[in-house]
Amino acid sequence: MSQSQPNILLIYTGGTIGMIKDPDTGALKAFDFENLLDRIPELKLLDCNINTTSFEDPIDSSNMNPDYWRQIAEIIENKYHDFDGFVVLHGSDTMSYSASALSFMFENLAKPIIFTGSQLPIGDLRTDAKENLITSIQMASLQKNGKPVIREVGLYFEYKLYRGNRTTKINAEHFEAFESLNYPHLAESGVHLNVSEEALFKPNIRKKLVVHKTFNTNIALIKLFPGISEPILESILNTTGLKGVILETYGAGNTTTRKWFIDLLKQTIKKGIPIINVTQCSGGSVMMGQYETSSQLKQIGLISGKDITTEAALTKLMFMLGEAISIKTFKTIFETSLRGEMS
């Protein structure tokens, strides 16, 4: 491999991007990624060396879980010193969860890990797969003074590179499937690739890479709604083995002020189960205490998710529980931005 050209590893986990239509049946099936260059000859024009690897059994991203996150992380960890950047091909449905999870797994990451996928298969006439794939590889290849420009987990889709742990899938039909509502995009692909230097994550590159692989999935995600019932909520919060809760509240972090509701939360927190307050709104931030309806939450010790996405809050909670962070420091650490996931 030549030194002058960046070496990029392409990791196929599954998803629409790697599918081709069976001409006889019309059904979608995964194709052999080794033959990628034959399918997309344009890749040969890129100024980098591309190697490919694939999950033995590519999965639909609806089946994604922490075991697969570990698989992706281990592929990258084992090849970390041989490559300058990594592109992960992934189904779009759970891509924001995976990109968020990997951002927490890789501490002191000094190279790009870019997630991408597509809404239409690669062999489709009007596919968005080629552009997403080619530009993701270009983004992962960007270097300045021999060092990668992007040193974080990104997600590239339809002309924009986002910070992975800031994204949410907002549309199942449009090519613009993702949005990062609380953080500007990192780069845009037009006639030129425009990178917003000030938006990029600045890792501590003097520190060695640490890969965390333990997630605790014994958590609940509860979306508040008018008329939420006491017995149902009580049974969820008293589930044996429950270790943490994400509570999706209204607006800037508001909830009902009914006594039974506040008491239930209070009892849960007293048991040492952290409750994270995140907003149901696509954009914006939790500001506990701004309204009377959230001042009690602040008093009983709910953790503010600030402007974190639900996807990043869930994966951060699983990650922190997996790291066995003590309940004394849990609130402080959760409310601190670890990988640029909150402002």
Side-chain angles (χ1 to χ4, degrees):
M1 288 182 178
S2 73
Q3 249 346 90
S4 56
Q5 287 191 325
N7 300 315
I8 304 299
L9 182 63
L10 202 55
I11 303 162
Y12 179 59
T13 66
T16 306
I17 191 163
M19 301 284 176
I20 46 169
K21 259 199 184 93
D22 183 310
D24 303 325
T25 65
L28 292 177
K29 56 180 188 356
F31 78 87
D32 179 11
F33 250 79
E34 292 299 314
N35 307 328
L36 188 66
L37 289 165
D38 304 337
R39 287 264 159 201
I40 313 176
E42 298 95 319
L43 290 178
K44 293 195 184 89
L45 305 173
L46 290 174
D47 202 13
C48 59
N49 305 304
I50 303 166
N51 278 35
T52 61
T53 183
S54 176
F55 272 14
E56 227 165 278
D57 298 309
I59 59 158
D60 185 294
S61 78
S62 308
N63 287 319
M64 193 44 78
N65 66 38
D67 292 334
Y68 291 119
W69 293 338
R70 266 190 292 278
Q71 261 187 57
I72 301 168
E74 279 168 358
I75 292 171
I76 296 170
E77 183 184 24
N78 294 335
K79 303 277 187 185
Y80 192 72
H81 297 293
D82 305 333
F83 290 91
D84 303 291
F86 303 87
V87 173
V88 181
L89 302 178
H90 190 293
S92 60
D93 285 352
T94 56
M95 200 188 292
S96 291
Y97 291 95
S98 295
S100 300
L102 262 86
S103 77
F104 297 118
M105 295 175 89
F106 283 87
E107 193 179 342
N108 309 321
L109 178 66
K111 295 178 181 184
I113 298 174
I114 295 175
F115 279 79
T116 194
S118 67
Q119 296 281 56
L120 287 174
I122 230 156
D124 237 63
L125 208 51
R126 294 186 311 105
T127 188
D128 53 332
K130 280 189 183 183
E131 197 281 322
N132 285 350
L133 180 57
I134 289 166
T135 312
S136 293
I137 293 169
Q138 277 187 301
M139 295 277 186
S141 306
L142 290 177
Q143 298 210 333
K144 197 174 171 182
N145 309 327
K147 296 262 184 287
V149 172
I150 291 140
R151 297 174 300 187
E152 59 179 294
V153 178
L155 187 156
Y156 181 82
F157 227 85
E158 194 62 8
Y159 308 119
K160 287 196 177 90
L161 176 69
Y162 306 100
R163 173 166 298 157
N165 59 28
R166 290 287 196 149
T167 60
T168 295
K169 185 174 181 185
I170 53 153
N171 202 298
E173 297 211 331
H174 293 179
F175 285 143
E176 285 144 11
F178 290 88
E179 194 47 88
S180 163
L181 289 157
N182 289 332
Y183 196 77
H185 51 263
L186 308 180
E188 189 157 7
S189 149
V191 176
H192 302 287
L193 290 186
N194 293 320
V195 179
S196 316
E197 293 285 336
E198 62 289 345
L200 295 175
F201 190 65
K202 313 284 187 291
N204 187 337
I205 46 173
R206 282 189 297 280
K207 289 189 164 170
K208 221 165 90 43
L209 177 78
V210 184
V211 187
H212 304 273
K213 296 179 196 169
T214 317
F215 287 93
N216 188 324
T217 55
N218 291 334
I219 63 171
L221 168 62
I222 301 167
K223 186 173 182 136
L224 213 53
F225 56 89
I228 191 162
S229 98
E230 184 178 354
I232 302 288
L233 194 62
E234 200 169 0
S235 77
I236 295 171
L237 295 177
N238 287 318
T239 304
T240 317
L242 182 70
K243 289 287 183 271
V245 177
I246 305 277
L247 188 64
E248 274 198 7
T249 56
Y250 310 127
N254 306 311
T255 65
T256 172
T257 50
R258 302 278 295 275
K259 188 177 180 305
W260 69 262
F261 180 81
I262 301 295
D263 285 349
L264 250 178
L265 298 187
K266 201 168 161 180
Q267 288 159 22
T268 307
I269 294 167
K270 276 216 168 101
K271 285 191 280 194
I273 296 171
I275 302 179
I276 321 296
N277 186 353
V278 302
T279 174
Q280 291 181 10
C281 303
S282 320
S285 181
V286 161
M287 289 151 93
M288 283 192 289
Q290 187 185 14
Y291 294 94
E292 198 190 333
T293 43
S294 65
S295 51
Q296 276 179 291
L297 304 178
K298 203 173 173 176
Q299 285 160 16
I300 64 171
L302 244 74
I303 296 171
S304 173
K306 302 180 186 174
D307 64 349
I308 199 168
T309 61
T310 296
E311 292 90 333
L314 274 165
T315 50
K316 185 174 184 173
L317 181 57
M318 286 181 191
F319 155 73
M320 283 178 59
L321 291 167
E323 291 292 296
I325 308 269
S326 89
I327 203 67
K328 279 203 264 310
T329 53
F330 207 92
K331 186 176 195 295
T332 311
I333 295 174
F334 199 99
E335 290 180 354
T336 305
S337 176
L338 303 178
R339 314 279 190 263
E341 73 282 358
M342 49 167 68
S343 303

Coordinates of all heavy atoms in Angstrom, one line a residue, residues 14-68:
G14 N -24.7 -4.6 6.4 CA -26.0 -4.9 5.9 C -26.7 -3.6 5.4 O -26.0 -2.6 5.4
G15 N -27.9 -3.8 5.1 CA -28.6 -2.6 4.7 C -28.9 -2.4 3.2 O -28.2 -3.1 2.4
T16 N -29.8 -1.6 2.9 CA -30.2 -1.4 1.5 C -29.0 -1.1 0.5 O -29.0 -1.6 -0.6 CB -31.2 -0.2 1.4 OG1 -32.2 -0.4 2.3 CG2 -31.8 0.0 0.0
I17 N -28.0 -0.3 1.0 CA -26.9 0.1 0.2 C -26.2 -1.1 -0.5 O -25.8 -1.0 -1.7 CB -25.9 1.0 0.9 CG1 -24.9 1.6 -0.1 CG2 -25.2 0.2 2.0 CD1 -24.2 2.8 0.5
G18 N -26.1 -2.2 0.2 CA -25.4 -3.4 -0.4 C -26.3 -4.4 -1.0 O -25.9 -5.5 -1.2
M19 N -27.5 -4.0 -1.4 CA -28.4 -4.9 -2.0 C -28.5 -4.8 -3.5 O -28.3 -3.7 -4.0 CB -29.9 -4.7 -1.5 CG -30.0 -4.8 0.0 SD -30.0 -6.5 0.5 CE -30.1 -6.4 2.3
I20 N -28.7 -5.9 -4.2 CA -29.1 -5.8 -5.6 C -30.4 -6.6 -5.8 O -30.7 -7.5 -5.1 CB -27.9 -6.3 -6.5 CG1 -27.4 -7.7 -6.1 CG2 -26.8 -5.3 -6.7 CD1 -26.5 -8.3 -7.1
K21 N -31.1 -6.1 -6.8 CA -32.3 -6.8 -7.2 C -32.1 -8.1 -8.0 O -31.3 -8.1 -8.9 CB -33.2 -5.9 -8.0 CG -34.3 -5.2 -7.2 CD -35.4 -4.6 -8.1 CE -36.4 -3.9 -7.3 NZ -36.1 -2.4 -7.2
D22 N -32.7 -9.1 -7.5 CA -32.6 -10.4 -8.3 C -33.5 -10.1 -9.6 O -34.7 -9.9 -9.4 CB -33.2 -11.5 -7.5 CG -33.1 -12.9 -8.2 OD1 -33.5 -12.9 -9.4 OD2 -32.6 -13.8 -7.6
P23 N -32.9 -10.2 -10.8 CA -33.6 -9.8 -12.0 C -34.8 -10.7 -12.2 O -35.8 -10.3 -12.7 CB -32.6 -10.0 -13.1 CG -31.4 -10.7 -12.5 CD -31.5 -10.5 -11.1
D24 N -34.8 -12.0 -11.7 CA -35.9 -12.9 -11.9 C -37.0 -12.6 -10.9 O -38.2 -12.6 -11.3 CB -35.4 -14.3 -11.8 CG -34.3 -14.6 -12.8 OD1 -34.4 -14.1 -13.9 OD2 -33.4 -15.4 -12.4
T25 N -36.7 -12.5 -9.6 CA -37.8 -12.4 -8.6 C -38.1 -11.0 -8.2 O -39.1 -10.7 -7.6 CB -37.4 -13.2 -7.3 OG1 -36.2 -12.6 -6.8 CG2 -37.0 -14.6 -7.7
G26 N -37.1 -10.1 -8.4 CA -37.3 -8.7 -8.0 C -37.0 -8.5 -6.5 O -37.1 -7.4 -6.0
A27 N -36.6 -9.6 -5.8 CA -36.3 -9.5 -4.4 C -34.9 -8.9 -4.2 O -34.0 -9.1 -5.0 CB -36.4 -10.8 -3.7
L28 N -34.7 -8.2 -3.1 CA -33.4 -7.7 -2.8 C -32.5 -8.7 -2.1 O -33.0 -9.4 -1.1 CB -33.6 -6.4 -1.9 CG -34.2 -5.2 -2.6 CD1 -34.3 -4.1 -1.5 CD2 -33.4 -4.7 -3.8
K29 N -31.3 -8.8 -2.5 CA -30.4 -9.7 -1.8 C -29.0 -9.0 -1.7 O -28.7 -8.1 -2.5 CB -30.2 -11.0 -2.5 CG -29.8 -11.0 -3.9 CD -29.8 -12.4 -4.4 CE -29.2 -12.7 -5.8 NZ -28.8 -11.9 -6.8
A30 N -28.2 -9.3 -0.7 CA -26.9 -8.7 -0.5 C -26.0 -9.2 -1.5 O -26.0 -10.4 -1.9 CB -26.4 -9.1 0.9
F31 N -25.1 -8.3 -2.0 CA -24.2 -8.8 -3.0 C -22.8 -8.9 -2.4 O -22.5 -8.3 -1.4 CB -24.2 -7.9 -4.3 CG -23.5 -6.6 -4.2 CD1 -22.2 -6.5 -4.5 CD2 -24.2 -5.5 -4.0 CE1 -21.5 -5.3 -4.5 CE2 -23.6 -4.2 -4.0 CZ -22.3 -4.1 -4.2
D32 N -21.9 -9.6 -3.1 CA -20.5 -9.8 -2.6 C -19.7 -8.5 -2.7 O -19.4 -8.0 -3.7 CB -19.9 -10.9 -3.5 CG -18.5 -11.2 -3.0 OD1 -18.1 -10.7 -1.9 OD2 -17.8 -11.9 -3.7
F33 N -19.3 -8.1 -1.5 CA -18.7 -6.8 -1.4 C -17.3 -6.8 -2.0 O -16.7 -5.7 -2.3 CB -18.6 -6.2 0.0 CG -19.6 -5.1 0.1 CD1 -20.9 -5.2 0.2 CD2 -19.1 -3.8 0.0 CE1 -21.8 -4.2 0.2 CE2 -19.9 -2.7 0.0 CZ -21.3 -2.9 0.0
E34 N -16.7 -8.0 -2.2 CA -15.4 -8.0 -2.8 C -15.5 -7.5 -4.2 O -14.5 -7.0 -4.8 CB -14.9 -9.5 -2.8 CG -14.6 -10.0 -1.5 CD -13.5 -9.3 -0.7 OE1 -12.4 -9.0 -1.3 OE2 -13.7 -9.0 0.5
N35 N -16.6 -7.6 -4.9 CA -16.8 -7.1 -6.2 C -17.2 -5.7 -6.3 O -17.7 -5.3 -7.4 CB -17.8 -8.0 -7.0 CG -17.4 -9.5 -6.9 OD1 -16.2 -9.8 -6.8 ND2 -18.4 -10.4 -6.8
L36 N -17.1 -5.0 -5.2 CA -17.6 -3.6 -5.2 C -17.0 -2.7 -6.3 O -17.7 -2.0 -6.9 CB -17.2 -3.0 -3.8 CG -17.8 -1.7 -3.5 CD1 -19.3 -1.8 -3.4 CD2 -17.2 -1.1 -2.2
L37 N -15.7 -2.9 -6.6 CA -15.1 -2.1 -7.6 C -15.6 -2.3 -9.0 O -15.7 -1.4 -9.8 CB -13.5 -2.3 -7.6 CG -12.8 -1.7 -6.4 CD1 -11.4 -2.2 -6.2 CD2 -12.8 -0.2 -6.4
D38 N -16.1 -3.5 -9.2 CA -16.7 -3.8 -10.5 C -18.0 -3.1 -10.6 O -18.4 -2.6 -11.7 CB -16.9 -5.4 -10.7 CG -15.6 -6.1 -10.5 OD1 -14.6 -5.5 -10.7 OD2 -15.7 -7.3 -10.2
R39 N -18.8 -3.1 -9.5 CA -20.1 -2.5 -9.5 C -20.0 -0.9 -9.6 O -20.8 -0.3 -10.2 CB -20.8 -2.8 -8.2 CG -21.3 -4.2 -8.1 CD -22.7 -4.2 -8.5 NE -23.1 -5.6 -8.9 CZ -24.1 -5.9 -9.6 NH1 -24.9 -5.0 -10.1 NH2 -24.3 -7.1 -9.9
I40 N -19.0 -0.4 -8.9 CA -18.8 1.1 -8.9 C -17.4 1.4 -9.4 O -16.5 1.7 -8.6 CB -19.1 1.7 -7.5 CG1 -20.3 1.1 -6.9 CG2 -19.2 3.2 -7.6 CD1 -20.6 1.5 -5.5
P41 N -17.2 1.4 -10.7 CA -15.8 1.6 -11.2 C -15.3 3.0 -10.8 O -14.1 3.2 -10.7 CB -16.0 1.5 -12.7 CG -17.4 1.5 -13.0 CD -18.1 1.1 -11.8
E42 N -16.2 3.9 -10.5 CA -15.8 5.3 -10.1 C -14.9 5.3 -8.9 O -14.1 6.2 -8.7 CB -17.0 6.2 -9.8 CG -17.9 6.4 -10.9 CD -19.1 5.4 -10.9 OE1 -18.9 4.2 -10.7 OE2 -20.2 5.9 -11.2
L43 N -15.0 4.2 -8.1 CA -14.2 4.1 -6.8 C -12.7 4.1 -7.2 O -11.9 4.5 -6.4 CB -14.6 2.9 -6.0 CG -15.9 2.9 -5.3 CD1 -16.2 1.6 -4.6 CD2 -16.1 4.1 -4.3
K44 N -12.4 3.6 -8.4 CA -11.0 3.5 -8.8 C -10.4 4.9 -9.0 O -9.2 5.1 -8.9 CB -10.8 2.7 -10.1 CG -11.2 1.2 -10.0 CD -10.7 0.4 -11.2 CE -11.1 -1.0 -11.1 NZ -12.5 -1.3 -11.7
L45 N -11.2 5.9 -9.2 CA -10.8 7.2 -9.4 C -10.4 8.0 -8.1 O -9.9 9.1 -8.1 CB -11.8 8.0 -10.2 CG -12.3 7.4 -11.5 CD1 -13.4 8.3 -12.1 CD2 -11.1 7.4 -12.5
L46 N -10.8 7.4 -7.0 CA -10.6 8.1 -5.7 C -9.1 8.0 -5.4 O -8.5 7.0 -5.6 CB -11.4 7.4 -4.6 CG -12.9 7.7 -4.7 CD1 -13.6 6.9 -3.6 CD2 -13.3 9.2 -4.5
D47 N -8.7 9.0 -4.7 CA -7.2 9.1 -4.3 C -7.0 8.4 -3.0 O -6.5 9.0 -2.1 CB -6.9 10.6 -4.2 CG -5.4 10.8 -4.4 OD1 -4.7 9.9 -4.9 OD2 -4.9 11.9 -4.1
C48 N -7.3 7.1 -3.0 CA -7.1 6.4 -1.7 C -7.1 4.9 -2.1 O -7.5 4.5 -3.1 CB -8.1 6.7 -0.7 SG -9.8 6.3 -1.2
N49 N -6.6 4.1 -1.2 CA -6.6 2.6 -1.3 C -7.8 2.1 -0.5 O -7.9 2.4 0.7 CB -5.3 2.0 -0.8 CG -4.1 2.5 -1.5 OD1 -4.0 2.5 -2.7 ND2 -3.2 3.1 -0.6
I50 N -8.6 1.3 -1.1 CA -9.8 0.8 -0.4 C -9.8 -0.7 -0.2 O -9.5 -1.4 -1.2 CB -11.1 1.1 -1.3 CG1 -11.2 2.7 -1.5 CG2 -12.4 0.7 -0.5 CD1 -12.2 3.0 -2.6
N51 N -9.9 -1.1 1.0 CA -10.1 -2.5 1.4 C -11.5 -2.7 1.9 O -12.1 -1.8 2.4 CB -9.1 -2.9 2.5 CG -7.7 -3.2 1.9 OD1 -7.3 -2.6 0.9 ND2 -7.0 -4.1 2.5
T52 N -12.0 -3.9 1.7 CA -13.4 -4.1 2.1 C -13.4 -5.4 3.1 O -12.6 -6.3 2.9 CB -14.4 -4.4 1.0 OG1 -13.9 -5.6 0.3 CG2 -14.4 -3.2 0.0
T53 N -14.4 -5.3 4.0 CA -14.7 -6.4 4.8 C -16.2 -6.4 5.1 O -16.8 -5.4 5.0 CB -13.8 -6.4 6.2 OG1 -14.1 -7.6 6.9 CG2 -14.2 -5.2 7.1
S54 N -16.7 -7.6 5.4 CA -18.1 -7.6 5.6 C -18.5 -8.5 6.7 O -17.8 -9.5 7.0 CB -18.7 -8.2 4.3 OG -20.1 -8.3 4.4
F55 N -19.7 -8.2 7.4 CA -20.2 -9.2 8.3 C -20.4 -10.5 7.6 O -20.8 -10.5 6.4 CB -21.6 -8.7 8.8 CG -21.6 -7.8 10.0 CD1 -20.4 -7.2 10.4 CD2 -22.7 -7.5 10.7 CE1 -20.4 -6.3 11.5 CE2 -22.7 -6.7 11.8 CZ -21.5 -6.0 12.2
E56 N -20.1 -11.6 8.3 CA -20.3 -12.9 7.6 C -21.8 -13.1 7.2 O -22.0 -13.5 6.1 CB -20.0 -14.0 8.6 CG -19.1 -15.1 8.0 CD -18.5 -15.9 9.1 OE1 -17.4 -15.5 9.7 OE2 -19.0 -17.0 9.3
D57 N -22.7 -12.7 8.0 CA -24.1 -12.7 7.6 C -24.6 -11.2 7.8 O -25.0 -10.8 8.9 CB -25.0 -13.6 8.6 CG -24.5 -15.0 8.4 OD1 -24.4 -15.5 7.3 OD2 -24.2 -15.6 9.5
P58 N -24.6 -10.5 6.7 CA -25.1 -9.1 6.8 C -26.5 -9.1 7.3 O -27.3 -10.0 7.1 CB -25.1 -8.6 5.3 CG -24.1 -9.5 4.6 CD -24.2 -10.8 5.3
I59 N -26.8 -8.0 8.1 CA -28.1 -8.0 8.8 C -28.9 -6.8 8.4 O -28.4 -5.8 7.9 CB -27.9 -7.9 10.4 CG1 -27.1 -6.7 10.8 CG2 -27.3 -9.2 10.9 CD1 -27.3 -6.2 12.2
D60 N -30.2 -6.9 8.5 CA -31.1 -5.7 8.4 C -30.9 -4.9 9.6 O -30.8 -5.4 10.7 CB -32.6 -6.2 8.3 CG -33.5 -5.0 8.0 OD1 -33.6 -4.1 8.9 OD2 -34.1 -5.0 7.0
S61 N -30.8 -3.6 9.5 CA -30.4 -2.8 10.7 C -31.5 -2.8 11.8 O -31.2 -2.4 12.9 CB -30.1 -1.4 10.3 OG -31.2 -0.6 10.0
S62 N -32.7 -3.3 11.5 CA -33.7 -3.4 12.5 C -33.2 -4.5 13.5 O -33.7 -4.5 14.7 CB -35.0 -3.9 11.9 OG -35.4 -3.1 10.9
N63 N -32.3 -5.4 13.1 CA -31.8 -6.4 14.1 C -30.5 -5.9 14.8 O -29.9 -6.7 15.5 CB -31.5 -7.7 13.3 CG -32.8 -8.4 12.9 OD1 -33.7 -8.5 13.7 ND2 -32.9 -8.9 11.7
M64 N -30.1 -4.7 14.6 CA -28.9 -4.2 15.2 C -29.0 -4.2 16.7 O -30.1 -4.0 17.3 CB -28.7 -2.7 14.7 CG -27.3 -2.1 15.0 SD -25.9 -3.1 14.7 CE -25.7 -3.0 12.9
N65 N -27.9 -4.6 17.4 CA -27.9 -4.6 18.9 C -26.4 -4.5 19.3 O -25.5 -4.5 18.5 CB -28.5 -5.9 19.4 CG -27.7 -7.1 19.0 OD1 -26.5 -7.1 19.0 ND2 -28.4 -8.2 18.7
P66 N -26.2 -4.3 20.7 CA -24.8 -4.1 21.1 C -23.8 -5.2 20.7 O -22.6 -4.9 20.6 CB -25.0 -4.0 22.7 CG -26.4 -3.5 22.8 CD -27.2 -4.1 21.7
D67 N -24.2 -6.4 20.5 CA -23.3 -7.4 20.1 C -22.7 -7.0 18.7 O -21.5 -7.2 18.5 CB -24.0 -8.8 20.0 CG -24.3 -9.3 21.4 OD1 -23.7 -8.9 22.3 OD2 -25.3 -10.1 21.5
Y68 N -23.6 -6.5 17.8 CA -23.1 -6.1 16.5 C -22.2 -4.8 16.6 O -21.3 -4.7 15.9 CB -24.2 -5.9 15.6 CG -25.0 -7.1 15.2 CD1 -26.3 -7.3 15.5 CD2 -24.3 -8.2 14.5 CE1 -27.0 -8.5 15.1 CE2 -25.0 -9.3 14.1 CZ -26.3 -9.5 14.4 OH -26.9 -10.7 14.1

